[in-house]
Amino acid sequence: VDTQALETDRDNEGIIPGERLDRLTGISTRDTFLHAARRLLDDHPEDKFILCTLDIDRFKIINDIYGTQVGDSILVQLAASTARETLGKGICGRLGADVFAFCIREEDFDLDALLQSQRFLSDNLGLAYNLVVHNGIYPIRDPKTDSAGMCDRANLARSAVKGDYNKRYAYDDEPMREAIIAEQEFLNDMRMALDNSAFVLYLQRIY
């Protein structure tokens, strides 16, 4: 995929507003990535693609312990690692904070290589901290879905393994998606019930 030509075409069309590249990491900004992903799918309707979002577990703690300069350096290295995995095969971008995304052909997607590159990054930071990167993987079955919606699906899959140090990735599928949505609805109902004083407390005496 000629991503450089792709982004140049977008600039010529005046579709991408604002800055094209993230100032810290040098990869695409969120808007640039979303537009480029849309173009990539539209230009290759016969191919199957995967969209993946990833972030660093408890990244705020790293900033608190080591400072934002170290945190920024980690973000730069993770962006570079992600860019290498998609070089010549897809596109990647920074969605915001410590969240990154990439879109790549399904046949070119190598999950083992992705996880290995992330473990390599963690092992070579020189920090007394176990860096854990979680990945949400959305195999694109409806290419007409807008790019932001695809990121939402990948984010939802990623939320299924957040905080789990044994699982580094999750694929989007309907049963998992329905379970996460049901859990979120339950939590929303609980909050609403608390706000409305809908709970009644009964205390059982102990003899």
Side-chain angles (χ1 to χ4, degrees):
V1 178
D2 190 348
T3 55
Q4 183 176 1
L6 186 154
E7 292 184 353
T8 301
D9 289 344
R10 276 303 193 187
D11 283 344
N12 292 338
E13 294 171 9
I15 294 178
I16 297 179
E19 298 184 3
R20 294 170 55 246
L21 300 179
D22 178 60
R23 291 186 179 184
L24 175 64
T25 63
I27 64 176
S28 296
T29 60
R30 181 181 186 276
D31 286 343
T32 304
F33 172 78
L34 293 179
H35 284 293
R38 178 73 273 151
R39 177 69 174 272
L40 183 62
L41 296 174
D42 290 343
D43 286 351
H44 302 276
E46 72 285 355
D47 294 334
K48 292 183 178 180
F49 287 86
I50 277 179
L51 191 144
C52 177
T53 64
L54 54 117
D55 75 342
I56 300 172
D57 193 62
R58 300 180 182 179
F59 180 69
K60 186 178 183 300
I61 294 179
I62 297 177
N63 279 334
D64 290 342
I65 295 176
Y66 298 102
T68 56
Q69 187 172 357
V70 171
D72 287 349
S73 174
I74 293 174
L75 293 179
V76 170
Q77 293 181 63
L78 181 57
S81 174
T82 305
R84 283 193 297 270
E85 292 301 316
T86 58
L87 182 63
K89 299 179 290 186
I91 56 174
C92 66
R94 183 186 182 192
L95 301 186
D98 63 315
V99 181
F100 298 86
F102 64 86
C103 186
I104 192 171
R105 283 188 177 90
E106 199 170 83
E107 63 188 43
D108 293 326
F109 179 59
D110 189 337
L111 178 59
D112 290 337
L114 176 68
L115 298 178
Q116 184 176 354
S117 69
Q118 293 171 354
R119 284 193 292 266
F120 180 83
L121 171 62
S122 176
D123 294 342
N124 289 273
L125 286 176
L127 304 177
Y129 187 90
N130 183 28
L131 184 77
V132 176
V133 179
H134 286 119
N135 304 270
I137 304 166
Y138 172 53
I140 300 173
R141 296 295 174 257
D142 182 8
K144 296 301 181 183
T145 303
D146 66 277
S147 302
M150 294 178 187
C151 288
D152 289 341
R153 294 290 294 262
N155 288 337
L156 199 62
R158 182 163 46 87
S159 70
V161 291
K162 287 289 289 181
D164 190 331
Y165 284 88
N166 295 317
K167 296 180 180 179
R168 303 300 177 94
Y169 68 92
Y171 278 86
D172 174 83
D173 60 52
E174 287 305 319
M176 180 208 68
R177 185 168 180 265
E178 291 172 0
I180 293 175
I181 291 175
E183 180 182 3
Q184 188 58 51
E185 290 175 347
F186 175 76
L187 292 174
N188 292 340
D189 290 342
M190 290 283 286
R191 293 192 187 98
M192 185 178 298
L194 287 169
D195 292 340
N196 295 329
S197 301
F199 287 102
V200 178
L201 178 64
Y202 293 92
L203 299 177
Q204 174 66 47
R205 291 184 179 183
I206 300 176
Y207 291 90

